[in-house]
Amino acid sequence: MASTLSLTQSELSAVPWSTHPSVDAMIKRSLLGKRASRSLTRFMIIFGIGVAATLACFGGIVAVALTTSVYTFGQTGSAPVDPGVRGGPAGAGAPLQGLTADETAFFQDGQARFADVEVVTKGSNNGLGPRFNSNQCLSCHSQPDAGGSSPAQNPLIAVATLNGAKNTVPWFITQNGPIREARFKRSANGVSDGEVHDLFVITGRTDAPGCNIVQPDFRPAGNPLTGQGGNPNIIFRIPTPLFGAGLIEAIPDSAILANMQSNALQKSALRISGHANAHLSGNVNRSANDGTITRFGWKAQNKSLLMFAGEAYNVEMGVTNQLFPQERDETSGCLFNATPEDTLNFTPTPATPGASNTAVISDIEAFAN
């Protein structure tokens, strides 16, 4: 896919795309170097959908299907216009046809784990909390299919009080509104924050006896649907679609940088500018570990899908793992499991000779593969 990023304008106009009309204009921007973007993550999302990437993000296979629908460039310098959401069935989320038995098993295994419901203790998937945003990957990534974004009906309303939990639903979470993640601009002592402050706690749950931590204070309230006019210290984010993420991981740094420099006149006409996104360490555009471009997360701070999955498991659900082995909240009385809570799964040898085995991997490895 690296060559796609360096296509000329005339070549791009002849490329057949299978995509949402609502992102056609943005795909054009992606391939010309999408504001390179405010976030390379947004570039990831748009490029992934633009090529109708059917990513087996749960099982190890990346599939790209290019069908009909041709995009041609406009002749003016006006900004792209979003025509709205495409109708019809989802064009992403399924595995590639023609997979081997092992590849299919990997996809199905990862997809099943993506749908697992986490609990604190005494279940088959222990490790939820002490603070969390939801209890299942799929709950936040299910529209238009598994691996997408917020569903039409917000599942967090039910999650807030599940199993006896005493959480109050934050004012910006509504039945028909989007799933929102909350970051605070500044902490209580006034210093810069920027961290995810999970919506819910395990206090009151029947599988977390004795825990008494409290939720963050998200007030004052604003408009519950738009999120505007409320606590000015909160920055909202919604779940990013995961379709096409494997493609972004596979693109060489050189292709991203070449794309950023190409088609300067077209970019200028569309007011597109920027650079490959910065790493949170302050080492602009580069990983603090190996110096290469980072790509995943809201600030493109993670280098790989494995790191991205490990961070999400810990930050969004509170499940410690081999990459993030400590709890984010270590309040006494709220720690119930040995850490890391997600570790290697030693699968048994298949009963039938020659049958598939999903190998010895953890949840985060399955999510990333």
Side-chain angles (χ1 to χ4, degrees), residues 172-237:
F172 48 83
I173 300 297
T174 64
Q175 188 67 55
N176 299 317
I179 291 172
R180 287 190 175 104
E181 179 183 273
R183 296 175 184 265
F184 286 2
K185 298 177 184 178
R186 296 189 176 277
S187 59
N189 59 7
V191 300
S192 294
D193 190 332
E195 298 294 329
V196 174
H197 288 258
D198 289 323
L199 308 185
F200 307 124
V201 294
I202 59 175
T203 298
R205 285 180 57 109
T206 56
D207 53 359
C211 182
N212 290 300
I213 54 176
V214 298
Q215 292 175 268
D217 185 0
F218 297 110
R219 299 170 297 182
N223 186 306
L225 289 179
T226 66
Q228 300 298 310
N231 188 336
N233 193 43
I234 301 177
I235 302 171
F236 297 114
R237 298 290 187 267

Side-chain angles (χ1 to χ4, degrees), residues 126-349:
N126 298 324
L128 183 69
R131 298 181 182 276
F132 63 98
N133 280 328
S134 192
N135 61 350
Q136 179 191 46
C137 299
L138 186 63
S139 68
C140 295
H141 295 279
S142 57
Q143 178 66 29
D145 207 337
S149 188
S150 298
Q153 296 294 311
N154 198 319
L156 301 191
I157 306 297
V159 169
T161 56
L162 191 64
N163 288 354
K166 299 179 180 179
N167 295 293
T168 298
V169 178
W171 59 269
F172 48 83
I173 300 297
T174 64
Q175 188 67 55
N176 299 317
I179 291 172
R180 287 190 175 104
E181 179 183 273
R183 296 175 184 265
F184 286 2
K185 298 177 184 178
R186 296 189 176 277
S187 59
N189 59 7
V191 300
S192 294
D193 190 332
E195 298 294 329
V196 174
H197 288 258
D198 289 323
L199 308 185
F200 307 124
V201 294
I202 59 175
T203 298
R205 285 180 57 109
T206 56
D207 53 359
C211 182
N212 290 300
I213 54 176
V214 298
Q215 292 175 268
D217 185 0
F218 297 110
R219 299 170 297 182
N223 186 306
L225 289 179
T226 66
Q228 300 298 310
N231 188 336
N233 193 43
I234 301 177
I235 302 171
F236 297 114
R237 298 290 187 267
I238 63 172
T240 60
L242 306 176
F243 307 132
L247 295 173
I248 299 303
E249 185 174 70
I251 295 173
D253 280 15
S254 57
I256 294 173
L257 295 174
N259 181 60
M260 182 181 71
Q261 299 295 332
S262 66
N263 300 295
L265 291 178
Q266 291 90 337
K267 290 175 182 174
S268 177
L270 292 169
R271 300 189 293 278
I272 298 170
S273 63
H275 50 73
N277 201 37
H279 187 272
L280 289 182
S281 69
N283 186 9
V284 178
N285 308 330
R286 305 290 177 174
S287 166
N289 295 311
D290 65 359
T292 56
I293 295 173
T294 54
R295 312 161 185 236
F296 304 105
W298 273 106
K299 295 297 182 181
Q301 71 272 21
N302 291 320
K303 174 61 187 178
S304 68
L305 286 174
L306 183 59
M307 182 68 73
F308 186 33
E311 180 191 52
Y313 215 14
N314 191 28
V315 172
E316 309 299 340
M317 286 184 279
V319 181
T320 56
N321 54 76
Q322 290 163 291
L323 294 180
F324 295 83
Q326 283 78 41
E327 299 281 7
R328 297 184 74 214
D329 188 322
E330 296 183 329
T331 299
S332 178
C334 296
L335 306 178
F336 298 90
N337 305 302
T339 56
E341 291 154 316
D342 170 47
T343 186
L344 294 179
N345 294 291
F346 293 94
T347 57
T349 302

